[in-house]
Amino acid sequence: MNRARAAAWTVNGLLAVLALVTLFPLLWMLSVSLMPQGSASTFPPPLLPAHPTLANYRTLFVAADLGRYLLNSLIVSGGITLGALVCNLLAGYAFAKLRFAGRDRVFGLLLAALVIPSQVAMMPLFLLVRELHIVDSYAGVILPALASIFGIYLVRQYARAIPDEMLEAARIDGAGELRIFLRVVLPLLKPIILTLTILTFLTAWNDFMWPLIVLTGNHHFTLPIALASLAREHNPDVEMLMAGSVVTVVPVLLLFLLLQRYYIQGLLLGSVKR
Amino acid sequence: MRPGRRIAGWVFIAPALIVIGVFFLLPVLLAVGLSLTDFDIYALASLRNLQFVGLDNYLAVLRMGLFWRALGNTLYFVVVGVPLSIGAALGAALLVHSRLARCRGFFRVALFTPVVTNLIAVAVIWKYLFQTRYGIVNFVLGRFGVHPVDWLGDPHMAMPTIILFALWKNFGYAMIIVLAGLQAIPDELYEAARLDGASAWRQLRHITLPLLGPTLMTVGLLTMVGYFQLFAEPYVMTEGGPLQSTLSVLYLMYNQGFDWWNLGLASAIAFVLFVFTLAATGLLVRAGRRKGWV
């Protein structure tokens, strides 16, 4: 075997091993979620269910109220995504293309605030949310996430490429600014809208610390919070936890696979300057 | 210019500014004030129990043994975890980018997948994979004659296990950015080097790595800032134990703030962590500047 072939084997072999390492825990999760209760905790540990069953999922949805948590996650992530789209698209476009007094100073201030980690705000935010009587409600999770500096930055970077002549032409035709935004600008922003949608939805779906703080009773728990509280119980049931994990992981994984080009685009735009 | 145009800009940014102002900038300012008070569970009941205490909270943090323990744990996680994650990302990116690699699209997605999984769910999975008696990891190691390791139950092993988990979860993020950096390096440079008879290793050292420097710097900084905020991993996998060996600064802040309702002290912890994060970022940027990477 010559050297070039040996090198090709090494590269592809290493890649295969890496992919096995990244995917194995997820495949194991899926497999254990289909095992009857108690059968994963045996020695040697089984890789595949001897008798696959959906019993864990049935128990979770019927007895453990998983359907409610799934719905909560959808409501919270969906609400945040819709609101963030409106706020960030409007603001990002305005910072890129509209001229108004104080524009650059305000934008500079926002960029500077990006270095402040969110936990600094959490204690006063909790008190504020308490004053507004929205502790332990959807609003308590959704409202603080309705706009993000990063999202505005992302839209601004993209919107800067819109030619001014196009906007001027629409103005000469007598169109108002809102009309121009809706009719001319939004169609041009389609790729960044998809990027913003998937980034926001995934971030909201996976967010943990703030929902953990603000959701004090289990009525409004999102999936990650419910899963963490299940996992921290004394002696939880592995097979059931894995079924819960599947429900938490798979929806966003599918969304990512569907829109991965836009997701990665967002990551790259975001890494240039944060 | 019609009057509508001049105010349109402010109208457009108003919704976002209100949300960010009310739910982020205002709380940040309030946090400064809060950290200078003895806000605790009694103040939560009635603000009349609130007192201004100056820098007492900061002094209390610096005198708290548990804070230094948590800071030590966090620094351990950052100092070991960041280089490992960036190293793995670089290695994986070079492999995926290699002209010899097949099914690049598949590998790129497969290696990136952990990044988009839910942290809590995969932390739970890892907890069981690394379980002492029935876990697959110990089973496989047992085949090679290694005695069962108490991964998350041994104070010396718990943090390394969490670092390993963070590596698995996060290297794909840096990999994607490094891959984009690799694609930006012109092919001609490599062709010229090959004509000069440079080996693959020398091409890597003298072309790839120097040109990739700024990219590695960026992902290093982003990863570091993220790693300073270690919280959910120990919350789910170890609850900060055993013997506080995985208690992070953010976990301590959460404990103080939302288990004990010492919101004043918790705010001080948040600012101290912020200062340490800034200092570490500054150090890294300075090191990068010396190499011309920033």
Side-chain angles (χ1 to χ4, degrees), chain A residues 12 21-22 44-45 90 100-101 117 119-120 124 128 130 177 206 213 224 232 256 260 271, chain B residues 5 9-10 12 22 27 31 44 100 102 109-110 112 118 134 139 168 218 235 250 258 274:
Chain A
N12 289 293
V21 171
T22 52
L90 278 170
F100 53 96
Q119 71 265 12
V120 169
L128 185 73
R130 191 163 161 267
E177 290 300 327
N206 290 332
I213 290 170
R232 281 164 59 107
F256 161 72
Q260 47 163 308
S271 74
Chain B
R5 269 191 71 187
W10 278 97
F12 276 34
V22 172
L44 203 60
L100 301 170
R102 300 216 186 150
V109 174
F112 185 73
N118 183 275
Y134 305 117
F139 172 72
W168 175 84
T218 310
Y235 182 86
L250 203 54
F258 299 101
F274 183 24

mmCIF file of all heavy atoms in Angstrom, chain A residues 12 21-22 44-45 90 100-101 117 119-120 124 128 130 177 206 213 224 232 256 260 271, chain B residues 5 9-10 12 22 27 31 44 100 102 109-110 112 118 134 139 168 218 235 250 258 274:
data_model
loop_
_atom_site.group_PDB
_atom_site.id
_atom_site.type_symbol
_atom_site.label_atom_id
_atom_site.label_comp_id
_atom_site.label_asym_id
_atom_site.label_seq_id
_atom_site.Cartn_x
_atom_site.Cartn_y
_atom_site.Cartn_z
ATOM 1 N N ASN A 12 -9.668 9.469 6.914
ATOM 2 C CA ASN A 12 -11.068 9.025 6.975
ATOM 3 C C ASN A 12 -11.356 8.163 8.201
ATOM 4 O O ASN A 12 -12.441 8.213 8.762
ATOM 5 C CB ASN A 12 -11.464 8.311 5.687
ATOM 6 C CG ASN A 12 -11.576 9.286 4.535
ATOM 7 O OD1 ASN A 12 -12.456 10.134 4.513
ATOM 8 N ND2 ASN A 12 -10.636 9.218 3.602
ATOM 9 N N VAL A 21 -17.816 9.137 18.153
ATOM 10 C CA VAL A 21 -17.798 9.729 19.494
ATOM 11 C C VAL A 21 -18.893 10.795 19.640
ATOM 12 O O VAL A 21 -19.571 10.867 20.664
ATOM 13 C CB VAL A 21 -16.413 10.341 19.813
ATOM 14 C CG1 VAL A 21 -16.459 11.146 21.107
ATOM 15 C CG2 VAL A 21 -15.376 9.236 19.921
ATOM 16 N N THR A 22 -19.075 11.623 18.607
ATOM 17 C CA THR A 22 -20.084 12.684 18.746
ATOM 18 C C THR A 22 -21.495 12.120 18.659
ATOM 19 O O THR A 22 -22.399 12.624 19.309
ATOM 20 C CB THR A 22 -19.929 13.790 17.678
ATOM 21 O OG1 THR A 22 -19.881 13.189 16.394
ATOM 22 C CG2 THR A 22 -18.687 14.607 17.914
ATOM 23 N N PRO A 44 -23.576 -7.082 31.377
ATOM 24 C CA PRO A 44 -23.024 -5.923 30.658
ATOM 25 C C PRO A 44 -24.116 -4.988 30.144
ATOM 26 O O PRO A 44 -25.207 -5.457 29.845
ATOM 27 C CB PRO A 44 -22.278 -6.569 29.492
ATOM 28 C CG PRO A 44 -22.955 -7.882 29.282
ATOM 29 C CD PRO A 44 -23.429 -8.328 30.628
ATOM 30 N N PRO A 45 -23.829 -3.673 30.050
ATOM 31 C CA PRO A 45 -24.852 -2.717 29.603
ATOM 32 C C PRO A 45 -25.309 -3.013 28.181
ATOM 33 O O PRO A 45 -24.481 -3.152 27.279
ATOM 34 C CB PRO A 45 -24.134 -1.368 29.680
ATOM 35 C CG PRO A 45 -22.685 -1.669 29.782
ATOM 36 C CD PRO A 45 -22.541 -3.032 30.355
ATOM 37 N N LEU A 90 -36.623 45.333 12.622
ATOM 38 C CA LEU A 90 -36.872 46.777 12.549
ATOM 39 C C LEU A 90 -35.623 47.558 12.971
ATOM 40 O O LEU A 90 -35.161 48.459 12.268
ATOM 41 C CB LEU A 90 -38.035 47.163 13.468
ATOM 42 C CG LEU A 90 -39.452 46.961 12.937
ATOM 43 C CD1 LEU A 90 -40.468 47.168 14.056
ATOM 44 C CD2 LEU A 90 -39.740 47.908 11.789
ATOM 45 N N PHE A 100 -30.745 59.058 11.339
ATOM 46 C CA PHE A 100 -31.428 59.818 12.386
ATOM 47 C C PHE A 100 -30.422 60.223 13.458
ATOM 48 O O PHE A 100 -29.366 59.608 13.623
ATOM 49 C CB PHE A 100 -32.592 59.028 12.996
ATOM 50 C CG PHE A 100 -32.218 57.659 13.494
ATOM 51 C CD1 PHE A 100 -31.904 57.445 14.828
ATOM 52 C CD2 PHE A 100 -32.205 56.567 12.628
ATOM 53 C CE1 PHE A 100 -31.577 56.172 15.289
ATOM 54 C CE2 PHE A 100 -31.868 55.300 13.083
ATOM 55 C CZ PHE A 100 -31.556 55.100 14.403
ATOM 56 N N ALA A 101 -30.796 61.288 14.171
ATOM 57 C CA ALA A 101 -29.877 61.856 15.159
ATOM 58 C C ALA A 101 -29.538 60.825 16.231
ATOM 59 O O ALA A 101 -30.423 60.144 16.749
ATOM 60 C CB ALA A 101 -30.524 63.087 15.806
ATOM 61 N N PRO A 117 -21.987 40.179 30.758
ATOM 62 C CA PRO A 117 -22.645 38.871 30.783
ATOM 63 C C PRO A 117 -24.045 38.979 31.394
ATOM 64 O O PRO A 117 -24.276 39.799 32.282
ATOM 65 C CB PRO A 117 -21.724 38.012 31.641
ATOM 66 C CG PRO A 117 -20.907 38.960 32.439
ATOM 67 C CD PRO A 117 -20.856 40.258 31.696
ATOM 68 N N GLN A 119 -25.700 37.260 33.440
ATOM 69 C CA GLN A 119 -25.989 36.958 34.853
ATOM 70 C C GLN A 119 -25.887 38.186 35.744
ATOM 71 O O GLN A 119 -26.471 38.225 36.814
ATOM 72 C CB GLN A 119 -25.101 35.829 35.389
ATOM 73 C CG GLN A 119 -23.660 36.202 35.565
ATOM 74 C CD GLN A 119 -22.848 35.798 34.350
ATOM 75 O OE1 GLN A 119 -23.424 35.452 33.321
ATOM 76 N NE2 GLN A 119 -21.536 35.838 34.453
ATOM 77 N N VAL A 120 -25.129 39.213 35.302
ATOM 78 C CA VAL A 120 -25.026 40.437 36.092
ATOM 79 C C VAL A 120 -26.423 41.038 36.297
ATOM 80 O O VAL A 120 -26.739 41.575 37.351
ATOM 81 C CB VAL A 120 -24.080 41.440 35.404
ATOM 82 C CG1 VAL A 120 -24.179 42.803 36.052
ATOM 83 C CG2 VAL A 120 -22.648 40.933 35.460
ATOM 84 N N PRO A 124 -31.422 41.788 39.778
ATOM 85 C CA PRO A 124 -32.410 42.872 39.653
ATOM 86 C C PRO A 124 -33.541 42.498 38.690
ATOM 87 O O PRO A 124 -34.687 42.880 38.926
ATOM 88 C CB PRO A 124 -31.599 44.036 39.082
ATOM 89 C CG PRO A 124 -30.189 43.703 39.373
ATOM 90 C CD PRO A 124 -30.086 42.225 39.370
ATOM 91 N N LEU A 128 -37.463 42.907 39.297
ATOM 92 C CA LEU A 128 -38.293 43.673 38.363
ATOM 93 C C LEU A 128 -39.489 42.851 37.898
ATOM 94 O O LEU A 128 -40.642 43.307 37.918
ATOM 95 C CB LEU A 128 -37.425 44.061 37.158
ATOM 96 C CG LEU A 128 -38.042 44.973 36.116
ATOM 97 C CD1 LEU A 128 -38.133 46.382 36.671
ATOM 98 C CD2 LEU A 128 -37.196 44.971 34.847
ATOM 99 N N ARG A 130 -40.757 40.424 39.385
ATOM 100 C CA ARG A 130 -41.625 40.211 40.538
ATOM 101 C C ARG A 130 -42.561 41.414 40.724
ATOM 102 O O ARG A 130 -43.748 41.255 40.989
ATOM 103 C CB ARG A 130 -40.740 40.021 41.776
ATOM 104 C CG ARG A 130 -41.457 39.541 43.006
ATOM 105 C CD ARG A 130 -40.444 39.000 43.991
ATOM 106 N NE ARG A 130 -40.981 38.936 45.334
ATOM 107 C CZ ARG A 130 -40.839 39.913 46.231
ATOM 108 N NH1 ARG A 130 -40.183 41.009 45.920
ATOM 109 N NH2 ARG A 130 -41.350 39.780 47.436
ATOM 110 N N GLU A 177 -42.146 55.085 5.188
ATOM 111 C CA GLU A 177 -41.028 54.253 5.645
ATOM 112 C C GLU A 177 -41.464 52.833 6.016
ATOM 113 O O GLU A 177 -40.767 51.870 5.733
ATOM 114 C CB GLU A 177 -40.332 54.919 6.839
ATOM 115 C CG GLU A 177 -39.560 56.188 6.489
ATOM 116 C CD GLU A 177 -38.451 55.953 5.460
ATOM 117 O OE1 GLU A 177 -37.850 54.865 5.459
ATOM 118 O OE2 GLU A 177 -38.195 56.860 4.648
ATOM 119 N N ASN A 206 -33.199 26.045 24.201
ATOM 120 C CA ASN A 206 -32.153 25.466 25.042
ATOM 121 C C ASN A 206 -31.818 26.304 26.269
ATOM 122 O O ASN A 206 -31.037 25.879 27.098
ATOM 123 C CB ASN A 206 -30.880 25.246 24.211
ATOM 124 C CG ASN A 206 -31.065 24.118 23.199
ATOM 125 O OD1 ASN A 206 -31.844 23.206 23.425
ATOM 126 N ND2 ASN A 206 -30.352 24.196 22.097
ATOM 127 N N ILE A 213 -34.748 30.180 37.037
ATOM 128 C CA ILE A 213 -34.941 31.162 38.102
ATOM 129 C C ILE A 213 -36.386 31.661 38.140
ATOM 130 O O ILE A 213 -37.005 31.744 39.190
ATOM 131 C CB ILE A 213 -33.971 32.350 37.912
ATOM 132 C CG1 ILE A 213 -32.541 31.895 38.210
ATOM 133 C CG2 ILE A 213 -34.357 33.531 38.794
ATOM 134 C CD1 ILE A 213 -31.479 32.894 37.827
ATOM 135 N N PRO A 224 -36.315 21.638 29.230
ATOM 136 C CA PRO A 224 -35.043 21.468 29.953
ATOM 137 C C PRO A 224 -35.208 21.563 31.465
ATOM 138 O O PRO A 224 -34.572 20.813 32.206
ATOM 139 C CB PRO A 224 -34.175 22.619 29.430
ATOM 140 C CG PRO A 224 -34.758 22.980 28.119
ATOM 141 C CD PRO A 224 -36.219 22.717 28.223
ATOM 142 N N ARG A 232 -32.673 15.292 38.798
ATOM 143 C CA ARG A 232 -32.127 15.542 40.129
ATOM 144 C C ARG A 232 -32.924 14.854 41.223
ATOM 145 O O ARG A 232 -32.549 14.913 42.398
ATOM 146 C CB ARG A 232 -32.048 17.053 40.390
ATOM 147 C CG ARG A 232 -30.842 17.699 39.705
ATOM 148 C CD ARG A 232 -30.980 19.194 39.627
ATOM 149 N NE ARG A 232 -31.116 19.804 40.946
ATOM 150 C CZ ARG A 232 -30.155 20.507 41.558
ATOM 151 N NH1 ARG A 232 -28.992 20.665 40.975
ATOM 152 N NH2 ARG A 232 -30.357 21.045 42.732
ATOM 153 N N PHE A 256 -32.637 22.159 13.004
ATOM 154 C CA PHE A 256 -31.275 22.502 12.597
ATOM 155 C C PHE A 256 -30.923 21.826 11.270
ATOM 156 O O PHE A 256 -30.397 22.463 10.360
ATOM 157 C CB PHE A 256 -30.274 22.084 13.676
ATOM 158 C CG PHE A 256 -28.860 21.992 13.165
ATOM 159 C CD1 PHE A 256 -28.150 23.147 12.865
ATOM 160 C CD2 PHE A 256 -28.256 20.768 12.958
ATOM 161 C CE1 PHE A 256 -26.857 23.073 12.371
ATOM 162 C CE2 PHE A 256 -26.969 20.687 12.462
ATOM 163 C CZ PHE A 256 -26.271 21.844 12.167
ATOM 164 N N GLN A 260 -29.760 24.120 8.302
ATOM 165 C CA GLN A 260 -28.382 24.215 8.792
ATOM 166 C C GLN A 260 -27.569 25.278 8.074
ATOM 167 O O GLN A 260 -26.735 25.941 8.684
ATOM 168 C CB GLN A 260 -27.679 22.863 8.717
ATOM 169 C CG GLN A 260 -27.838 22.144 7.422
ATOM 170 C CD GLN A 260 -26.789 21.051 7.301
ATOM 171 O OE1 GLN A 260 -25.618 21.310 7.463
ATOM 172 N NE2 GLN A 260 -27.223 19.840 7.002
ATOM 173 N N SER A 271 -19.305 35.463 14.641
ATOM 174 C CA SER A 271 -17.965 35.297 15.193
ATOM 175 C C SER A 271 -17.010 36.379 14.717
ATOM 176 O O SER A 271 -15.945 36.574 15.270
ATOM 177 C CB SER A 271 -17.412 33.928 14.817
ATOM 178 O OG SER A 271 -17.057 33.925 13.459
ATOM 179 N N ARG B 5 -39.638 60.981 7.968
ATOM 180 C CA ARG B 5 -38.387 60.261 7.792
ATOM 181 C C ARG B 5 -37.442 60.426 8.960
ATOM 182 O O ARG B 5 -36.687 59.524 9.285
ATOM 183 C CB ARG B 5 -37.690 60.741 6.510
ATOM 184 C CG ARG B 5 -38.085 59.934 5.316
ATOM 185 C CD ARG B 5 -37.195 60.261 4.153
ATOM 186 N NE ARG B 5 -35.841 59.741 4.354
ATOM 187 C CZ ARG B 5 -34.851 60.022 3.524
ATOM 188 N NH1 ARG B 5 -35.056 60.802 2.501
ATOM 189 N NH2 ARG B 5 -33.667 59.498 3.740
ATOM 190 N N GLY B 9 -36.562 56.462 12.057
ATOM 191 C CA GLY B 9 -35.466 55.679 12.632
ATOM 192 C C GLY B 9 -35.706 55.357 14.094
ATOM 193 O O GLY B 9 -35.628 54.201 14.511
ATOM 194 N N TRP B 10 -36.072 56.416 14.848
ATOM 195 C CA TRP B 10 -36.307 56.194 16.276
ATOM 196 C C TRP B 10 -37.519 55.306 16.522
ATOM 197 O O TRP B 10 -37.520 54.480 17.437
ATOM 198 C CB TRP B 10 -36.476 57.534 17.000
ATOM 199 C CG TRP B 10 -35.138 58.141 17.312
ATOM 200 C CD1 TRP B 10 -34.478 59.088 16.594
ATOM 201 C CD2 TRP B 10 -34.279 57.796 18.403
ATOM 202 N NE1 TRP B 10 -33.267 59.366 17.155
ATOM 203 C CE2 TRP B 10 -33.115 58.587 18.282
ATOM 204 C CE3 TRP B 10 -34.370 56.895 19.467
ATOM 205 C CZ2 TRP B 10 -32.047 58.510 19.176
ATOM 206 C CZ3 TRP B 10 -33.319 56.831 20.371
ATOM 207 C CH2 TRP B 10 -32.170 57.620 20.221
ATOM 208 N N PHE B 12 -38.484 52.937 14.573
ATOM 209 C CA PHE B 12 -38.085 51.566 14.224
ATOM 210 C C PHE B 12 -37.248 50.903 15.322
ATOM 211 O O PHE B 12 -37.349 49.697 15.541
ATOM 212 C CB PHE B 12 -37.295 51.561 12.902
ATOM 213 C CG PHE B 12 -38.166 51.541 11.687
ATOM 214 C CD1 PHE B 12 -39.388 52.190 11.674
ATOM 215 C CD2 PHE B 12 -37.770 50.863 10.527
ATOM 216 C CE1 PHE B 12 -40.194 52.181 10.559
ATOM 217 C CE2 PHE B 12 -38.583 50.850 9.403
ATOM 218 C CZ PHE B 12 -39.789 51.509 9.419
ATOM 219 N N VAL B 22 -35.247 48.102 29.354
ATOM 220 C CA VAL B 22 -35.972 47.726 30.565
ATOM 221 C C VAL B 22 -35.470 46.406 31.140
ATOM 222 O O VAL B 22 -35.316 46.270 32.350
ATOM 223 C CB VAL B 22 -37.490 47.643 30.283
ATOM 224 C CG1 VAL B 22 -38.227 47.067 31.490
ATOM 225 C CG2 VAL B 22 -38.030 49.018 29.928
ATOM 226 N N PRO B 27 -31.585 46.649 34.576
ATOM 227 C CA PRO B 27 -31.133 45.707 35.616
ATOM 228 C C PRO B 27 -29.627 45.739 35.855
ATOM 229 O O PRO B 27 -29.188 45.586 36.998
ATOM 230 C CB PRO B 27 -31.567 44.342 35.061
ATOM 231 C CG PRO B 27 -32.728 44.638 34.196
ATOM 232 C CD PRO B 27 -32.447 45.977 33.581
ATOM 233 N N ALA B 31 -28.080 46.471 39.349
ATOM 234 C CA ALA B 31 -27.229 45.459 39.978
ATOM 235 C C ALA B 31 -26.075 46.120 40.726
ATOM 236 O O ALA B 31 -25.667 45.653 41.793
ATOM 237 C CB ALA B 31 -26.689 44.487 38.934
ATOM 238 N N LEU B 44 -36.696 41.044 50.762
ATOM 239 C CA LEU B 44 -37.635 40.520 49.776
ATOM 240 C C LEU B 44 -39.063 40.676 50.292
ATOM 241 O O LEU B 44 -39.990 40.960 49.542
ATOM 242 C CB LEU B 44 -37.316 39.043 49.509
ATOM 243 C CG LEU B 44 -37.773 38.431 48.195
ATOM 244 C CD1 LEU B 44 -37.161 39.158 47.008
ATOM 245 C CD2 LEU B 44 -37.387 36.955 48.144
ATOM 246 N N LEU B 100 -8.173 14.685 1.304
ATOM 247 C CA LEU B 100 -8.325 13.231 1.317
ATOM 248 C C LEU B 100 -9.657 12.802 1.925
ATOM 249 O O LEU B 100 -10.068 11.658 1.799
ATOM 250 C CB LEU B 100 -7.189 12.618 2.140
ATOM 251 C CG LEU B 100 -5.774 12.920 1.643
ATOM 252 C CD1 LEU B 100 -4.746 12.481 2.671
ATOM 253 C CD2 LEU B 100 -5.524 12.235 0.316
ATOM 254 N N ARG B 102 -13.422 12.014 2.681
ATOM 255 C CA ARG B 102 -14.638 11.727 1.905
ATOM 256 C C ARG B 102 -15.853 12.163 2.713
ATOM 257 O O ARG B 102 -15.755 12.377 3.913
ATOM 258 C CB ARG B 102 -14.730 10.218 1.667
ATOM 259 C CG ARG B 102 -13.537 9.710 0.912
ATOM 260 C CD ARG B 102 -13.976 8.628 -0.008
ATOM 261 N NE ARG B 102 -12.825 8.038 -0.648
ATOM 262 C CZ ARG B 102 -12.801 6.779 -1.030
ATOM 263 N NH1 ARG B 102 -13.842 6.011 -0.785
ATOM 264 N NH2 ARG B 102 -11.756 6.303 -1.640
ATOM 265 N N VAL B 109 -21.524 17.903 9.560
ATOM 266 C CA VAL B 109 -22.756 17.938 10.351
ATOM 267 C C VAL B 109 -22.651 17.038 11.582
ATOM 268 O O VAL B 109 -23.042 17.411 12.681
ATOM 269 C CB VAL B 109 -23.970 17.530 9.486
ATOM 270 C CG1 VAL B 109 -25.219 17.427 10.346
ATOM 271 C CG2 VAL B 109 -24.172 18.530 8.379
ATOM 272 N N ALA B 110 -22.078 15.835 11.379
ATOM 273 C CA ALA B 110 -21.997 14.878 12.490
ATOM 274 C C ALA B 110 -21.175 15.453 13.638
ATOM 275 O O ALA B 110 -21.554 15.346 14.800
ATOM 276 C CB ALA B 110 -21.388 13.563 12.017
ATOM 277 N N PHE B 112 -20.684 18.536 14.267
ATOM 278 C CA PHE B 112 -21.280 19.759 14.790
ATOM 279 C C PHE B 112 -22.513 19.470 15.650
ATOM 280 O O PHE B 112 -22.894 20.280 16.492
ATOM 281 C CB PHE B 112 -21.647 20.696 13.638
ATOM 282 C CG PHE B 112 -22.168 22.037 14.082
ATOM 283 C CD1 PHE B 112 -21.312 22.975 14.612
ATOM 284 C CD2 PHE B 112 -23.519 22.346 13.988
ATOM 285 C CE1 PHE B 112 -21.771 24.204 15.042
ATOM 286 C CE2 PHE B 112 -23.996 23.570 14.410
ATOM 287 C CZ PHE B 112 -23.119 24.507 14.939
ATOM 288 N N ASN B 118 -29.619 19.787 23.268
ATOM 289 C CA ASN B 118 -29.953 20.478 24.513
ATOM 290 C C ASN B 118 -28.973 20.086 25.618
ATOM 291 O O ASN B 118 -28.776 18.906 25.900
ATOM 292 C CB ASN B 118 -31.376 20.121 24.919
ATOM 293 C CG ASN B 118 -31.778 20.861 26.164
ATOM 294 O OD1 ASN B 118 -31.498 20.419 27.268
ATOM 295 N ND2 ASN B 118 -32.389 22.008 25.979
ATOM 296 N N TYR B 134 -22.935 0.580 35.814
ATOM 297 C CA TYR B 134 -23.563 0.107 34.581
ATOM 298 C C TYR B 134 -23.187 0.936 33.364
ATOM 299 O O TYR B 134 -23.693 0.707 32.277
ATOM 300 C CB TYR B 134 -25.083 0.103 34.739
ATOM 301 C CG TYR B 134 -25.563 -0.689 35.918
ATOM 302 C CD1 TYR B 134 -26.252 -0.096 36.968
ATOM 303 C CD2 TYR B 134 -25.319 -2.067 35.975
ATOM 304 C CE1 TYR B 134 -26.690 -0.830 38.058
ATOM 305 C CE2 TYR B 134 -25.751 -2.813 37.063
ATOM 306 C CZ TYR B 134 -26.436 -2.194 38.103
ATOM 307 O OH TYR B 134 -26.859 -2.937 39.153
ATOM 308 N N PHE B 139 -17.473 -0.029 31.233
ATOM 309 C CA PHE B 139 -17.558 -1.367 30.650
ATOM 310 C C PHE B 139 -16.476 -1.550 29.584
ATOM 311 O O PHE B 139 -15.737 -2.544 29.575
ATOM 312 C CB PHE B 139 -18.948 -1.587 30.035
ATOM 313 C CG PHE B 139 -19.057 -2.863 29.258
ATOM 314 C CD1 PHE B 139 -19.094 -4.085 29.924
ATOM 315 C CD2 PHE B 139 -19.099 -2.851 27.870
ATOM 316 C CE1 PHE B 139 -19.179 -5.272 29.206
ATOM 317 C CE2 PHE B 139 -19.187 -4.026 27.151
ATOM 318 C CZ PHE B 139 -19.228 -5.245 27.815
ATOM 319 N N TRP B 168 -16.788 17.641 24.306
ATOM 320 C CA TRP B 168 -17.677 16.944 23.358
ATOM 321 C C TRP B 168 -18.787 17.881 22.873
ATOM 322 O O TRP B 168 -19.088 17.949 21.695
ATOM 323 C CB TRP B 168 -18.289 15.726 24.065
ATOM 324 C CG TRP B 168 -19.311 14.994 23.248
ATOM 325 C CD1 TRP B 168 -19.061 14.037 22.307
ATOM 326 C CD2 TRP B 168 -20.738 15.162 23.295
ATOM 327 N NE1 TRP B 168 -20.244 13.598 21.769
ATOM 328 C CE2 TRP B 168 -21.288 14.269 22.346
ATOM 329 C CE3 TRP B 168 -21.598 15.970 24.029
ATOM 330 C CZ2 TRP B 168 -22.660 14.162 22.126
ATOM 331 C CZ3 TRP B 168 -22.966 15.874 23.802
ATOM 332 C CH2 TRP B 168 -23.478 14.973 22.867
ATOM 333 N N THR B 218 -10.121 34.499 17.884
ATOM 334 C CA THR B 218 -11.551 34.805 18.041
ATOM 335 C C THR B 218 -12.286 33.666 18.734
ATOM 336 O O THR B 218 -12.995 33.881 19.718
ATOM 337 C CB THR B 218 -12.204 35.051 16.666
ATOM 338 O OG1 THR B 218 -11.406 35.993 15.966
ATOM 339 C CG2 THR B 218 -13.608 35.579 16.812
ATOM 340 N N TYR B 235 -24.759 21.669 37.633
ATOM 341 C CA TYR B 235 -26.102 21.681 38.233
ATOM 342 C C TYR B 235 -26.802 20.349 37.981
ATOM 343 O O TYR B 235 -27.468 19.811 38.860
ATOM 344 C CB TYR B 235 -26.921 22.837 37.656
ATOM 345 C CG TYR B 235 -28.311 22.968 38.239
ATOM 346 C CD1 TYR B 235 -28.525 23.686 39.405
ATOM 347 C CD2 TYR B 235 -29.411 22.370 37.623
ATOM 348 C CE1 TYR B 235 -29.786 23.806 39.952
ATOM 349 C CE2 TYR B 235 -30.680 22.475 38.162
ATOM 350 C CZ TYR B 235 -30.870 23.200 39.326
ATOM 351 O OH TYR B 235 -32.128 23.304 39.864
ATOM 352 N N LEU B 250 -20.559 30.805 39.016
ATOM 353 C CA LEU B 250 -21.944 31.098 38.661
ATOM 354 C C LEU B 250 -22.918 30.253 39.483
ATOM 355 O O LEU B 250 -24.003 30.706 39.860
ATOM 356 C CB LEU B 250 -22.150 30.852 37.159
ATOM 357 C CG LEU B 250 -23.312 31.601 36.536
ATOM 358 C CD1 LEU B 250 -23.241 33.083 36.798
ATOM 359 C CD2 LEU B 250 -23.364 31.336 35.036
ATOM 360 N N PHE B 258 -30.609 32.604 44.635
ATOM 361 C CA PHE B 258 -31.941 32.056 44.442
ATOM 362 C C PHE B 258 -32.273 30.846 45.313
ATOM 363 O O PHE B 258 -33.390 30.363 45.301
ATOM 364 C CB PHE B 258 -32.161 31.767 42.958
ATOM 365 C CG PHE B 258 -32.061 33.035 42.136
ATOM 366 C CD1 PHE B 258 -30.903 33.339 41.414
ATOM 367 C CD2 PHE B 258 -33.102 33.947 42.117
ATOM 368 C CE1 PHE B 258 -30.802 34.520 40.692
ATOM 369 C CE2 PHE B 258 -33.009 35.124 41.402
ATOM 370 C CZ PHE B 258 -31.865 35.419 40.694
ATOM 371 N N PHE B 274 -17.412 38.862 36.551
ATOM 372 C CA PHE B 274 -17.285 39.701 35.354
ATOM 373 C C PHE B 274 -15.869 40.282 35.269
ATOM 374 O O PHE B 274 -15.215 40.234 34.221
ATOM 375 C CB PHE B 274 -18.344 40.812 35.425
ATOM 376 C CG PHE B 274 -18.387 41.723 34.229
ATOM 377 C CD1 PHE B 274 -17.925 41.314 32.983
ATOM 378 C CD2 PHE B 274 -18.912 43.007 34.350
ATOM 379 C CE1 PHE B 274 -17.984 42.163 31.885
ATOM 380 C CE2 PHE B 274 -18.966 43.858 33.265
ATOM 381 C CZ PHE B 274 -18.496 43.439 32.033
#
